Amino acid sequence: MNINLFFIFVFTVLAMIYTFFNPMKLEEFDKKELAQLELVNFSVYDLDKNGLRSVFHGQKGYKYEDRYEVSDINYTDNTKEYIAYLHSSFGRYKDNIVDLKGNAVYKRADGLTFKTEIASYNQKTGVFQAPNAYTFYRNDDKITGTKLVFDSKEHHMLSKQISATYQIQDNGK
């Protein structure tokens, strides 16, 4: 075989490989964040030098690098004047803020209760917010409204579109 034919054959094979073979396409996976820990029927206690700060229980939860996501969350905040209890179908705890979705309830030890669908509670400031419709209960009093901002430290409540039913107490005077 002539050396020229050999080089022509090699060149032809390389040209065919370059022309007809396509690079292999690799399947890309979604870069979805993975939970570091999966929790089932759990309780998490937050303690400091002064004692128990908060507790949250859940049916099923996932711990990510920066947050917890919990179904059927029950959160108790013991850092304020009154102990606050929060419950919801789903909750996200991140940076001392608890976001609640689905049948959210905020209840304090003194009997004050808020019910709404979506809410957020800041543990540091003690502010409970509900951006949509809510119902407030205390004893026989009932208030409905929208866009609630309740500051438990300052005992202030801001809201829009309020409708209230309350009982006036007679002090015997």
Side-chain angles (χ1 to χ4, degrees):
M1 174 183 227
N2 189 343
I3 191 87
N4 290 335
L5 288 175
F6 175 74
F7 284 118
I8 292 173
F9 176 74
V10 170
F11 177 74
T12 306
V13 169
L14 291 175
M16 289 175 53
I17 289 173
Y18 180 76
T19 306
F20 296 113
F21 286 106
N22 294 325
M24 190 169 123
K25 293 181 182 176
L26 297 175
E27 182 179 345
E28 288 189 30
F29 295 100
D30 291 336
K31 295 179 181 176
K32 186 176 179 183
E33 186 178 21
L34 295 175
Q36 295 174 341
L37 183 63
E38 181 178 345
L39 308 164
V40 178
N41 292 328
F42 67 95
S43 299
V44 175
Y45 299 90
D46 181 15
L47 301 167
D48 68 3
K49 64 182 178 182
N50 298 324
L52 182 65
R53 292 176 40 83
S54 65
V55 178
F56 76 93
H57 307 280
Q59 185 68 29
K60 189 170 188 179
Y62 298 95
K63 183 190 182 312
Y64 295 93
E65 187 173 325
D66 61 343
R67 69 190 183 283
Y68 288 92
E69 292 185 359
V70 181
S71 64
D72 196 24
I73 185 171
N74 287 301
Y75 180 82
T76 304
D77 181 11
N78 193 28
T79 61
K80 306 293 177 280
E81 179 181 355
Y82 295 104
I83 297 173
Y85 306 96
L86 293 104
H87 174 77
S88 181
S89 301
F90 175 80
R92 176 179 293 124
Y93 179 83
K94 180 179 180 181
D95 298 330
N96 292 322
I97 296 175
V98 182
D99 292 317
L100 306 169
K101 292 182 184 175
N103 300 320
V105 176
Y106 171 89
K107 187 172 185 175
R108 273 194 348 194
D110 64 345
L112 179 138
T113 304
F114 293 100
K115 292 184 179 181
T116 185
E117 281 300 309
I118 298 171
S120 134
Y121 177 73
N122 187 323
Q123 183 185 16
K124 284 185 179 180
T125 62
V127 174
F128 178 78
Q129 296 181 352
N132 50 358
Y134 73 91
T135 305
F136 164 82
Y137 300 96
R138 185 170 197 172
N139 301 327
D140 293 332
D141 302 337
K142 178 181 175 183
I143 299 173
T144 58
T146 60
K147 298 188 180 182
L148 169 72
V149 177
F150 174 69
D151 187 341
S152 64
K153 280 185 176 179
E154 300 294 324
H155 304 287
H156 291 290
M157 185 168 95
L158 302 172
S159 181
K160 292 187 177 185
Q161 301 175 346
I162 298 170
S163 173
T165 305
Y166 58 92
Q167 300 295 320
I168 298 175
Q169 296 179 351
D170 184 15
N171 292 336
K173 292 183 181 180

